[in-house]
Structures are given as structure tokens and as C-alpha cells.
């Protein structure tokens, strides 16, 4: 069982909005570092970074940037039986609505107490927003993540970014946001996809089969990560077979209590990793008796 020994942490709030006076004197458009500034704790730090340039669909992109000290780790959206998934609350924001947070492909972490899904290096979580017609825009996040070395530290911070009209962003920040989205798992394709996913009649055992790319690095094994609705928990996957480009896993499922839960259709987000490649696919599964 994962050992949680919590330490008290400091809460820092910084605003990184400063105009470039020299640029104004030259008659140039000001460049702004549209980030909240770093909030720090033992083992790491985090900040909110926004690229204010609207996309073709009208959305605005950003990222939660988490920097980890060597040896420290943090959690994926569904870490497993132990861990703290990242939580962001944008309800205090003004002039913008939060649409979604996305997650890079995780790795399997064995900390000696439990095995879970997470990140062992600095990680950026892409964010998508949509402006609303309500005047000035302030993006305010109450962020909560867990970072661990030998102990788990709950890291909480208030992160705020003010967006101004005709505001530009530092090229480095804009590229960092673009890179965060580019590192997300690819969508399912002909050579890399989930072939089949089934739940046993009890709803407590999931079997997943995935088509793997024809080219795979020597000695690299595929891995599977599963996230589901709130209240569902998933054990570490067990590889059943890996032959002919098709890998199959068995995953223990702990559904929420209640007899009706075992019979319901469940939407799952499944990530398969293979070396430098990762694929994510959403699918629906229902308990099936295949006898």
C-alpha cells in the first residue's frame, strides 16, 4: 500500500504580466510573458502558461507546466489504487470558460509500495479554453497535484493570468504550449489501435486487445493504461499475449458499489505506449458473457 506521509507546503502566487517599455518606445507591439509565475514546493514547481492567440475554432490554448526535481514523480489522470490525480478548478475565472485538460502518455512507476501510472520527468498538461463575452479576461486556477519522492507531498497553488486586448505572447511560451499539444498521444490509426475490449459478466475484469505498429524497437514492450468514470479503479494490467502484432491484456476493475454498476455500459479512455509512440482511444464497454 502506498505510504502517504504528508508534509506542510508553502503556497505561492505570482503574476508574470509586465509590459516591455522599450518596445513601446520603439512603437512595437509589446511582448508579454503570459504565465502565472512559478509556485514552488519541495521537489518541484508549477505554473500556468497561456497563448492568448485564438485558434481557428475560437479556442485559446495553454498548459499546466510542472517541473520536477530529479528523483521526484507526479501522477497521471488515473494513477491506480494510490495517488493524487491532477486537479484544476477554473470556476473563479472571468471572461473565459474552461473546456478540457489533456494528458501526455504516462509511464509505469514502482515506488516500492505500489505500482501506478505517472511521470518521472517534468511534464506539461495541455489546456483548452473558450472566451466568453463578459469583458476583461482573467484565468484563475486553483491547482492541486501530488508529487512524490520517498514521501508524497500534496502541492496546492493559486495560479492567475490576466489576458489583455491586443496582447502577444513570448515566442518561447507560444512554442512551449504548441509542444505540449504535440506530445499528446496520437489518435487510433490503421497500424495502432484497440481491436477489442470486453468486460466479463461481473464487470470486474477487463480484457483489451491492441493492434501494434509493424515496426517496434528491439526489446521494447507495449504497455496499457486505462482511465474511466469517477468511482472506477483499475489494477495494473497483466500482459496475456503479444504475438503477430497483437497484444492482449487483462485488467482488474473495481467499479463503484451498487448492483446496477456491474451491468452498465462504461466509457473508457485507453492509452497504449510502445517506445516513443503512444496512442489514445476512447471506447465503450459492457459486461458480456461469451460462453
Amino acid at each position: 500500500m502506498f505510504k502517504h506521509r504528508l508534509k506542510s507546503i508553502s503556497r505561492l502566487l505570482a503574476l508574470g504580466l509586465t509590459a516591455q517599455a522599450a518596445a513601446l518606445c520603439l512603437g512595437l507591439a509589446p511582448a508579454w510573458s503570459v504565465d502565472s509565475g512559478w509556485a514552488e514546493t519541495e521537489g518541484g514547481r508549477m505554473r500556468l502558461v497561456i497563448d492568448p492567440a485564438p485558434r481557428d475554432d475560437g479556442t485559446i490554448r495553454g498548459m499546466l507546466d510542472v517541473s520536477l526535481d530529479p528523483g521526484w514523480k507526479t501522477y497521471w489522470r488515473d494513477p491506480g489504487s494510490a495517488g493524487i490525480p491532477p486537479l484544476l478548478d477554473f470556476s473563479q475565472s472571468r471572461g473565459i470558460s474552461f473546456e478540457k485538460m489533456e494528458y501526455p502518455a504516462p509511464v509505469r512507476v514502482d515506488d516500492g509500495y505500489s505500482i501506478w501510472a505517472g511521470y518521472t520527468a517534468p511534464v506539461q498538461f495541455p489546456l483548452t479554453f473558450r472566451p466568453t463575452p463578459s469583458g476583461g479576461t482573467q484565468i484563475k486556477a486553483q491547482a492541486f497535484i501530488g508529487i512524490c519522492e520517498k514521501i508524497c507531498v500534496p502541492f496546492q497553488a493559486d495560479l492567475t493570468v490576466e489576458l489583455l486586448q491586443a496582447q502577444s505572447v513570448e515566442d518561447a511560451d507560444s512554442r512551449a504550449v504548441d509542444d505540449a499539444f504535440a506530445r499528446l498521444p496520437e489518435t487510433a490509426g490503421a497500424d495502432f489501435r484497440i481491436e477489442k475490449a470486453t468486460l466479463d459478466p461481473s464487470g470486474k475484469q477487463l480484457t483489451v486487445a491492441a493492434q501494434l505498429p509493424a515496426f517496434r524497437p528491439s526489446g521494447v514492450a507495449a504497455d496499457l493504461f486505462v482511465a474511466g468514470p469517477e468511482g472506477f479503479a483499475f489494477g495494473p494490467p497483466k500482459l496475456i499475449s503479444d504475438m503477430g502484432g497483437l497484444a492482449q491484456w487483462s485488467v482488474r476493475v473495481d467499479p463503484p458499489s451498487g448492483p446496477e454498476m456491474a451491468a452498465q455500459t462504461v466509457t473508457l479512455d485507453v492509452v497504449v505506449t510502445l517506445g516513443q509512440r503512444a496512442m489514445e482511444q476512447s471506447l465503450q464497454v459492457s459486461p458480456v458473457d461469451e460462453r
Side-chain angles (χ1 to χ4, degrees):
M1 189 67 184
F2 187 74
K3 186 177 181 182
H4 291 279
R5 293 173 54 192
L6 305 181
K7 285 190 172 183
S8 60
I9 60 173
S10 60
R11 304 183 63 183
L12 300 176
L13 176 63
L15 295 176
L17 302 174
T18 55
Q20 300 296 320
L24 288 174
C25 292
L26 293 173
L28 304 176
W32 299 78
S33 179
V34 194
D35 73 84
S36 63
W38 290 103
E40 300 185 13
T41 191
E42 180 182 4
R45 57 183 185 165
M46 63 178 167
R47 63 174 180 155
L48 182 64
V49 181
I50 304 296
D51 182 349
R55 303 284 160 163
D56 291 342
D57 61 359
T59 60
I60 289 174
R61 286 179 166 185
M63 66 178 182
L64 178 66
D65 188 7
V66 179
S67 178
L68 299 170
D69 292 346
W72 287 75
K73 302 164 283 289
T74 192
Y75 298 103
W76 187 53
R77 57 179 294 188
D78 194 323
S81 60
I84 307 170
L87 300 173
L88 288 176
D89 180 358
F90 289 98
S91 61
Q92 301 303 309
S93 297
R94 183 180 69 247
I96 203 156
S97 64
F98 172 61
E99 291 204 340
K100 62 180 177 179
M101 176 177 179
E102 298 180 86
Y103 302 82
V107 298
R108 194 73 57 194
V109 180
D110 185 348
D111 60 17
Y113 301 101
S114 63
I115 299 174
W116 46 275
Y119 307 95
T120 58
V123 59
Q124 293 75 41
F125 299 99
L127 308 170
T128 302
F129 304 88
R130 187 171 295 277
T132 59
S134 60
T137 299
Q138 182 189 70
I139 302 178
K140 187 172 184 178
Q142 294 178 314
F144 184 90
I145 64 173
I147 62 174
C148 296
E149 190 190 34
K150 296 178 180 178
I151 59 169
C152 178
V153 178
F155 183 14
Q156 188 172 3
D158 294 333
L159 306 172
T160 304
V161 169
E162 299 276 359
L163 295 185
L164 308 177
Q165 289 186 350
Q167 185 174 0
S168 61
V169 67
E170 295 282 1
D171 287 344
D173 287 338
S174 180
R175 287 195 299 270
V177 171
D178 288 343
D179 288 347
F181 278 85
R183 284 191 291 268
L184 290 172
E186 63 192 79
T187 57
D191 73 329
F192 201 6
R193 65 186 184 275
I194 302 299
E195 284 283 357
K196 187 178 181 180
T198 58
L199 280 171
D200 74 352
S202 71
K204 296 184 177 182
Q205 199 70 33
L206 172 70
T207 302
V208 179
Q211 176 68 49
L212 302 180
F215 173 78
R216 54 193 299 181
S218 177
V220 174
D223 205 350
L224 177 79
F225 302 88
V226 182
E230 184 176 357
F232 281 79
F234 302 90
K238 296 180 180 179
L239 184 63
I240 300 172
S241 62
D242 184 357
M243 296 184 298
L246 190 69
Q248 185 168 311
W249 295 268
S250 176
V251 182
R252 188 189 76 252
V253 181
D254 294 323
S257 59
E260 73 284 355
M261 300 305 294
Q264 73 172 350
T265 298
V266 179
T267 300
L268 303 177
D269 290 319
V270 178
V271 175
V272 179
T273 61
L274 183 66
Q276 297 299 312
R277 291 187 67 178
M279 179 276 299
E280 183 171 11
Q281 186 173 342
S282 293
L283 46 93
Q284 291 188 323
V285 295
S286 302
V288 174
D289 190 344
E290 296 188 334
R291 290 178 299 176

